[in-house]
Amino acid sequence: MRLLVCGGAGFIGSNFVRQRMARSEDEVVVLDKLTYAGRRETLRDVEADPRFSFIHGAIEDPAAVAAAIAGADAVVNFAAETHVDRSIAEPDAFVRTHALGTYVLLEAAREHGVRYLQVSTDEVYGSIAEGSFTETSPLDPSSPYSATKAGADLLVASYQRTFGLETVICRGSNNYGPYQYPEKLIPLIVLNALHGDRLPVYGDGRNVRNWLFVEDFASAIACVLERGVPGETYNVGGPDESDNITVVQRIVELCGVDSSLIEFVTDRPGHDRRYSLGSAKVQALGWRAETRFAQGIERTVDWYRDNSWWWEPIRSGSYREYYARQYGTRLAE
Ligand code: NAD
Ligand code: DAU
């Protein structure tokens, strides 16, 4: 197969590309805008493979998409703005990429008759106090991030129903693991702990997330790509759930720092209390999560400890300004 992977220079996309190239004969074309969250270095271990190529461009740019999709058998769309806090501060890029970008990709897929897989999120369902969401749960997003992701999902479904384009949607729970940008909870806490910096926990720290090791999400996407039924949506939940303070305390232990670094700070507006996804439908296709949180978090901490080449340029670049904006006042309160 020749796969067009949009957003393949980011966290989950790069893990997917690496795994797919190791486990199949596929050719992979990555189309990526290289926003603050995407970097060529993240793909450096597949760059030299003759089956790999890279195009620098945005999914909302029809010319870049036309060049990238030519000859592809399937599109896997990871490209997105992905941080909830940034969507609250500056929603503009979220609307542009998720609405316009998804539309441009769908039009190109339709024109070229290419199968389409949309990578989506549990956040489109909103918060759930007990039990787990299924694929038929109503969409009830809370943030500009999740609302625009829900809009993209609906657009994808409309192209299946109206134009007969073969589409599938994969909604994942919270991913963690190597190559995650340090604005997200786990890498932020790991890197702050390794530097002896304060560890900001929003609100009371009791918000619950359903943790999924990134390689398991990558294998679920491959499974849905190969065996998913066109027109269907598949939820992919992690095997373990945990509240944030428990996650942070475990990282504190693994990094060997003092828990007095933990600081409860002003909460995120509209903060969803709990996410939980039932995965029975994707499991019926043969997928299973292989990594429990207990092992995955150890591997993740070890990876950040051993790979400063990857995160040092981030921590010394524009991330510093973002961090000051997002946490300066919160940590000073
Ligand atoms: P990320 O922020 O690490 O990577 C996003 C990538 O998309 C980057 O390489 C960026 O340069 C690229 N990109 C952004 N806008 C683009 C555009 N307009 N055109 C082309 N490329 C663009 O994100 P991630 O965590 O790897 O998430 C990937 C996908 O998975 C997203 O669609 C996200 O909504 C979804 N998802 C993420 C999680 C999670 O926990 N991180 C969970 C479920 C679903
Ligand atoms: O659930 C899937 C989603 O997971 C993906 O769709 C998103 O792209 C991804 O960013 C992630 O969203 P969250 O908002 O759940 O992830 P984040 O890492 O931002 O936050 C996880 C939890 O930790 C959440 O309850 C907020 C809290 N938090 C986060 C940060 C950055 C803190 O307490 N302190 C922090 O500094």
Side-chain angles (χ1 to χ4, degrees), residues 188-225:
L188 184 147
I189 296 295
V190 171
L191 292 184
N192 279 20
L194 294 178
H195 289 83
D197 294 341
R198 284 180 290 170
L199 311 176
V201 175
Y202 295 166
D204 63 2
R206 297 286 174 201
N207 300 68
V208 171
R209 295 294 182 261
N210 184 187
W211 293 104
L212 174 63
F213 194 62
V214 64
E215 290 172 10
D216 282 329
F217 193 34
S219 70
I221 290 165
C223 171
V224 170
L225 188 64

Side-chain angles (χ1 to χ4, degrees), residues 26 103 118 123 154 182 209 232 236 257 259-260 295 306 322:
D26 286 354
Y103 158 71
Q118 176 75 355
E123 299 203 12
L154 294 176
R209 295 294 182 261
E232 295 293 320
V236 184
V257 295
S259 58
S260 61
Q295 298 88 50
D306 296 342
Y322 163 76

Side-chain angles (χ1 to χ4, degrees), residues 94-281:
F94 291 76
V95 177
R96 203 175 301 280
T97 294
H98 303 170
L100 183 60
T102 305
Y103 158 71
V104 169
L105 269 184
L106 286 166
E107 274 296 310
R110 185 182 155 209
E111 187 188 330
H112 291 259
V114 176
R115 289 196 291 135
Y116 185 99
L117 188 153
Q118 176 75 355
V119 181
S120 184
T121 169
D122 58 2
E123 299 203 12
V124 297
Y125 299 116
S127 194
I128 189 165
E130 283 172 13
S132 302
F133 290 118
T134 70
E135 289 80 0
T136 54
S137 300
L139 303 188
D140 186 20
S142 301
S143 69
Y145 163 69
S146 51
T148 51
K149 288 293 288 184
D153 286 8
L154 294 176
L155 200 57
V156 171
S158 81
Y159 269 65
Q160 169 87 38
R161 219 174 286 168
T162 308
F163 303 115
L165 177 69
E166 287 195 11
T167 67
V168 277
I169 298 172
C170 240
R171 294 187 178 134
S173 61
N174 277 68
N175 278 228
Y176 68 104
Y179 301 100
Q180 186 169 32
Y181 193 84
E183 65 195 350
K184 308 289 175 15
L185 178 73
I186 287 183
L188 184 147
I189 296 295
V190 171
L191 292 184
N192 279 20
L194 294 178
H195 289 83
D197 294 341
R198 284 180 290 170
L199 311 176
V201 175
Y202 295 166
D204 63 2
R206 297 286 174 201
N207 300 68
V208 171
R209 295 294 182 261
N210 184 187
W211 293 104
L212 174 63
F213 194 62
V214 64
E215 290 172 10
D216 282 329
F217 193 34
S219 70
I221 290 165
C223 171
V224 170
L225 188 64
E226 286 163 11
R227 278 168 256 155
V229 176
E232 295 293 320
T233 293
Y234 296 87
N235 288 344
V236 184
D240 297 290
E241 67 173 50
S242 174
D243 62 14
N244 294 334
I245 189 64
T246 306
V247 169
V248 171
Q249 273 159 349
R250 181 66 189 130
I251 295 170
V252 160
E253 282 167 22
L254 289 169
C255 293
V257 295
D258 200 283
S259 58
S260 61
L261 287 176
I262 297 173
E263 209 162 306
F264 291 92
V265 301
T266 305
D267 209 352
R268 169 186 285 174
H271 195 174
D272 285 331
R273 194 64 172 168
R274 176 173 175 266
Y275 298 138
S276 178
L277 284 183
S279 306
K281 194 167 164 183

